[in-house]
Amino acid sequence: MGPYACQILGDLGAEVIKVEPPEGDMTRRTQPQRNAGMGALALNVNRNKRSLALNLKTDDGRAVLDDLLDTADVLVTNMRPRALARLGLDPDRVSARFPRLVQVRAQGFRSDSALADRAAYDEIVQASSGMVDLMRRATGTPAYAPTILADKVCALTIVYSVLAAVIHQRATGAGQLVEVPMTDTLLAFNLVEHLSGHTFVPAEGPTGFNRSMAEKHEAVATKDGWACILPYTPANVADFFHAAGREDLATDERFADSASLSRHQPDLYALIGELASSRTTDDWAQLCAEHSIPFAPVLSLDDAETDPYVVSGGLLTEADHPSEGRYRSIGFPVRFSGAPTGLRTPAPRLGADSADVLRELGRSETQIRALTGAGVVVSS
């Protein structure tokens, strides 16, 4: 979540210095990779950053970090509270020394809870936030979402929290501590619709958003592929069945109003599934477009790099990396009319910017060589 959040901030124009241990952070060890330390994940989440490889377990390393924090607006960390304290990054100490600094601390659980120092990878957070239970209710299997959902949702939360805190910093001159606990963040995310009947006291129904949890809430098989066909309103449903030649269903009382449609979502999904195989995906696309019925073919990720919509929007572009050669860069999805975003500098190799950052902090060449020789700094 930390690397992704700071990649987004870098895409938006922030100067991001990635402080990582001498062996590099964990994104550098992911596969596949052409060269050590430059895995596929690292190529995108580390773009628009500078790499300072620094041993914070040494006094000299912590002194370098303190000098760096004296110039910084924001410190984003992605470690448990006890580990941060061992590195001299206790929030009270940091706030006292750098009162203008915004500290954004992301970890699995709240720092004031009994679980504060528990290890919490994405799957742990999916379990502790109700996500795995939602999968069980929907599919019968208590499974994990096939994407690092918790990390990425929390990364987005870090981004908007940083921006809000910086606005406050600009207005008041004061920093603050911002904590982003992963479990709390994903639980709040899940409860937006799934608190449902338990929103009321006493409850007016069960938890779980009916439409999302309904049986057969899934893509359907067409004559030649897969698609999402989703008549959403009673008018959509009537138009869909009229267009599909099922006049008997177009006036079915189960789908006549929103309340009845909500109760009978499984029936609707099952009927759509039965009808879908009678036409090709393109046929359904045309029919749904003519009647303003929500529709999309199922995109295979294998096809993303050639899909016309993806290509025309620049969501996957090819770029050249100084050491890794030709690669695909994931585009920034938001468009600003007055401020360009996206790839400015490719992901750096471990410690590629260490010497330059030290020079900017006023270290002499002799000092830089000494720090490098002592293993406090790694420079490449």
Side-chain angles (χ1 to χ4, degrees):
M1 59 179 166
Y4 183 41
C6 293
Q7 172 231 299
I8 294 170
L9 291 167
D11 288 352
L12 291 171
E15 180 187 358
V16 179
I17 298 175
K18 180 183 183 74
V19 180
E20 48 190 324
E23 67 274 15
D25 88 327
M26 65 185 301
T27 68
R28 294 190 179 277
R29 297 188 286 277
T30 57
Q31 298 293 329
Q33 54 185 251
R34 289 173 178 161
N35 295 295
M38 296 299 288
L41 179 61
L43 279 176
N44 275 298
V45 298
N46 290 330
R47 72 187 185 210
N48 295 332
K49 300 179 185 178
R50 305 167 76 195
S51 172
L52 169 60
L54 188 63
N55 187 351
L56 292 177
K57 295 178 181 179
T58 66
D59 291 340
D60 286 340
R62 287 191 293 271
V64 171
L65 181 63
D66 280 349
D67 286 350
L68 187 59
L69 294 181
D70 201 36
T71 72
D73 295 306
V74 182
L75 169 66
V76 177
T77 60
N78 194 167
M79 301 170 68
R80 285 175 270 175
R82 192 175 299 163
L84 287 170
R86 286 198 299 267
L87 297 177
L89 290 172
D90 176 85
D92 292 337
R93 173 196 173 273
V94 174
S95 294
R97 182 156 185 174
F98 308 103
R100 185 181 169 278
L101 184 71
V102 172
Q103 300 179 67
V104 181
R105 297 178 173 237
Q107 66 261 345
F109 304 94
R110 291 188 313 278
S111 62
D112 61 355
S113 75
L115 304 179
D117 281 294
R118 293 274 183 93
Y121 291 96
D122 193 90
E123 294 86 349
I124 301 300
V125 176
Q126 288 195 39
S128 64
S129 66
M131 188 71 214
V132 170
D133 181 58
L134 289 174
M135 295 292 288
R136 178 194 61 80
R137 294 197 208 183
T139 69
T141 302
Y144 308 118
T147 183
I148 50 173
L149 183 69
D151 276 325
K152 291 187 286 187
V153 167
C154 292
L156 298 174
T157 305
I158 290 169
V159 171
Y160 68 68
S161 299
V162 165
L163 297 178
V166 167
I167 290 172
H168 177 267
Q169 179 193 61
R170 294 290 191 271
T172 66
Q176 61 182 299
L177 175 63
V178 179
E179 187 171 287
V180 183
M182 296 176 74
T183 294
D184 304 55
T185 300
L186 194 61
L187 177 59
F189 180 85
N190 286 332
L191 289 177
V192 169
E193 76 276 33
H194 288 296
L195 185 58
S196 195
H198 281 227
T199 302
F200 301 96
V201 181
E204 293 288 339
T207 57
F209 188 51
N210 187 53
R211 183 175 65 81
S212 298
M213 306 302 295
E215 188 178 356
K216 296 294 183 183
H217 181 243
E218 57 195 17
V220 293
T222 66
K223 185 179 286 188
D224 62 350
W226 295 89
C228 172
I229 303 173
L230 194 68
Y232 202 81
T233 64
N236 270 166
V237 173
D239 287 344
F240 173 77
F241 285 126
H242 277 305
R246 290 296 304 269
E247 299 293 339
D248 55 319
L249 294 173
T251 56
D252 193 308
E253 291 185 358
R254 290 175 295 177
F255 317 126
D257 57 65
S258 295
S260 182
L261 176 58
S262 179
R263 291 194 302 272
H264 294 97
Q265 291 282 359
D267 296 341
L268 174 62
Y269 295 149
L271 289 166
I272 293 170
E274 292 170 10
L275 288 170
S277 61
S278 66
R279 304 181 189 221
T280 67
T281 302
D282 284 345
D283 289 340
W284 283 119
Q286 183 175 344
L287 180 149
C288 290
E290 289 172 355
H291 297 277
S292 196
I293 295 165
F295 169 90
V298 172
L299 174 69
S300 165
L301 292 184
D302 289 340
D303 298 331
E305 61 209 54
T306 57
D307 180 80
Y309 181 83
V310 176
V311 172
S312 65
L315 295 172
L316 270 179
T317 58
E318 292 190 7
D320 289 304
H321 190 280
S323 65
E324 306 312 303
R326 198 76 171 161
Y327 76 107
R328 288 189 177 88
S329 176
I330 303 168
F332 194 76
V334 180
R335 296 185 175 187
F336 294 81
S337 65
T341 59
L343 181 65
R344 290 180 284 113
T345 58
R349 294 189 65 80
L350 176 64
D353 304 289
S354 296
D356 285 342
V357 172
L358 290 172
R359 290 185 191 101
E360 291 164 13
L361 294 176
R363 297 296 199 277
S364 68
E365 297 301 320
T366 300
Q367 290 173 316
I368 293 171
R369 284 194 297 272
L371 289 169
T372 303
V376 174
V377 169
V378 172
S379 186
S380 63

